[in-house]
Amino acid sequence: MYPLKRNRRLRTNEAIRSLVRETIISPNDFLVPLFVVEGKGVKDEIPSMPNYFRYSLDLLENEVKELWSLGLKSVLLFVKVPDNLKDNKGKEALNPYGLMQRAIKTVKNACPEMLVMTDVALDPYSAYGHDGIIENGIIVNDPTADFLAEMSISHAQAGADFVAPSDMMDGRILTIREALEDKGFINTGIMSYSAKYASAFYGPFRDALDSAPVDMVDIPKDKKTYQMDYANRFEAIRETEMDIDEGADIVMVKPGLCYLDIVREIKNAVDVPVAVYQVSGEYAMLKAAAEKGWLDHDAVMMEQITAIKRAGADVIASYFAKDVAILINK
Ligand code: PBG
């Protein structure tokens, strides 16, 4: 006895499949992470991130124009800070002529309508590779939050549209929001890394920025006192709800693929846009498998990106953004 209902009818050919497809990927979904370095004419491939580069400001200009022409309209800036400018408090982060501040202006000059988000965190500026100021071997919360608020103002002054604190200190969203309001930056948004896990998938990113925690006595070896334990689920909701109460415009789950259960829970629990960061290690895994001929790069990339959106991502930060845009523009 055959069933009356045959689900395969809706899968007969590509026309019917595309008619009933629930999740469609477009360049509008993406936030493109960009790594910026000092120098001229620099386009440095990151060894653990094949086909991903650090750009000096002159070449950053061409890159953002190309992204714009592909329909990619938002970027997330990260800077690689020279070693001699690093210290415990990250004071270079407040330099109005610092690399980040110049990078913001470079993008806005090259492409005035490009949405510019900036990474707000100490680690690229920290001599110890941590997202917080260290006192007596401890990452101190409140002084770090105050510093991040100053950093946010500096980015807003340089022209950033959104600041994106990626540090996981408690209370930093409120501290940043109040500081921005106080200085008149009422339209500068905050995308909060609200559920950011202490993940081993960040390795290639730390290579890209030379920002891994240092191996020294009295310096914490990892980020587990501020980033979340990956065994936890309820905590992600708590963190995210707090950030929204404190003034976050967009919240984020990070990393992506291993955390899609969390993405769906958060999407169901909150009413602000949810971003997902598909991180460097996720990018590196697929590139490596594809290089070996073990996986079909484009097919797996689209499957992963679609899964992230299907799980509930309104915004996807991904190193695959340009590859995806090129593929779907074909
Ligand atoms: C640090 C920061 C990290 C990433 C973004 N901001 C790494 C870390 O927390 O050590 C990781 C992004 C990636 O792996 O792609 N503030």
Side-chain angles (χ1 to χ4, degrees):
M1 169 75 155
Y2 290 108
L4 276 178
K5 182 89 191 150
R6 290 178 183 271
N7 292 324
R8 290 182 56 195
R9 282 182 205 122
L10 294 179
R11 297 178 210 138
T12 308
N13 52 45
E14 180 51 24
I16 184 68
R17 286 193 297 270
S18 57
L19 190 66
V20 300
R21 187 162 295 136
E22 297 174 34
T23 309
I24 311 290
I25 301 299
S26 118
N28 294 333
D29 297 321
F30 290 99
L31 176 57
V32 187
L34 289 173
F35 298 121
V36 185
V37 278
E38 292 286 3
K40 262 205 159 49
V42 184
K43 183 182 177 186
D44 248 359
E45 189 171 26
I46 299 148
S48 48
M49 299 180 71
N51 203 34
Y52 221 80
F53 302 88
R54 305 180 192 99
Y55 294 97
S56 55
L57 294 177
D58 51 337
L59 298 189
L60 178 68
E61 212 173 297
N62 308 336
E63 181 63 15
V64 295
K65 285 182 180 155
E66 195 186 335
L67 295 175
W68 186 264
S69 74
L70 290 166
L72 295 162
K73 299 188 289 257
S74 304
V75 295
L76 176 58
L77 300 179
F78 294 95
V79 290
K80 181 172 189 293
V81 180
D83 275 349
N84 63 323
L85 296 177
K86 296 185 183 186
D87 59 21
N88 183 24
K89 300 210 162 140
K91 89 175 165 300
E92 172 61 16
L94 305 182
N95 178 356
Y97 307 103
L99 185 55
M100 177 61 93
Q101 288 78 358
R102 281 177 285 136
I104 297 165
K105 290 182 181 142
T106 301
V107 176
K108 283 290 183 188
N109 281 334
C111 214
E113 291 169 88
M114 182 71 84
L115 185 88
V116 177
M117 296 201 187
T118 56
D119 184 55
V120 168
L122 238 67
D123 54 319
Y125 297 94
S126 162
Y128 305 118
H130 274 288
D131 296 52
I133 298 166
I134 303 181
E135 281 170 18
N136 304 319
I138 306 272
I139 311 285
V140 289
N141 193 90
D142 301 7
T144 299
D146 289 338
F147 186 83
L148 295 172
E150 284 187 69
M151 195 168 161
S152 300
I153 287 163
S154 177
H155 292 182
Q157 280 166 340
D161 299 296
F162 268 74
V163 292
S166 64
D167 56 290
M168 290 298 283
M169 296 303 125
D170 289 327
R172 91 280 205 214
I173 300 302
L174 183 62
T175 311
I176 292 171
R177 186 69 265 160
E178 284 181 345
L180 288 171
E181 297 292 316
D182 191 49
K183 289 282 188 298
F185 292 108
I186 56 170
N187 292 321
T188 306
I190 303 178
M191 180 177 75
S192 167
Y193 289 60
S194 33
K196 176 172 177 178
Y197 288 88
S199 167
F201 283 97
Y202 305 149
F205 172 95
R206 294 176 187 171
D207 294 343
L209 295 189
D210 185 25
S211 62
V214 297
D215 189 7
M216 276 169 75
V217 243
D218 290 339
I219 302 296
K221 300 278 170 289
D222 56 45
K223 300 190 173 185
K224 291 179 183 169
T225 67
Y226 44 106
Q227 298 179 351
M228 285 173 49
D229 182 342
Y230 57 69
N232 295 353
R233 186 159 66 91
F234 296 122
E235 193 182 1
I237 312 236
R238 217 152 58 223
E239 283 280 1
T240 304
E241 284 176 344
M242 260 184 79
D243 284 2
I244 295 170
D245 289 345
E246 292 181 26
D249 301 284
I250 302 175
V251 294
M252 187 198 278
V253 176
K254 177 184 177 187
L257 285 179
C258 294
Y259 297 83
L260 295 186
D261 55 332
I262 307 295
V263 174
R264 173 45 62 188
E265 291 224 31
I266 298 227
K267 179 68 186 163
N268 289 347
V270 307
D271 58 4
V272 301
V274 176
V276 174
Y277 202 140
Q278 184 187 38
V279 302
S280 58
E282 303 179 59
Y283 177 85
M285 282 199 301
L286 175 50
K287 290 287 170 187
E291 258 175 32
K292 282 187 169 282
W294 291 351
L295 287 176
D296 175 339
H297 179 275
D298 289 354
V300 174
M301 170 178 79
M302 289 310 294
E303 187 174 335
Q304 293 186 342
I305 294 290
T306 305
I308 290 171
K309 186 166 180 183
R310 190 194 63 222
D314 300 295
V315 175
I316 306 171
S318 171
Y319 304 101
F320 288 115
K322 196 173 165 186
D323 291 347
V324 171
I326 290 170
L327 189 70
I328 59 189
N329 283 330
K330 256 187 201 158

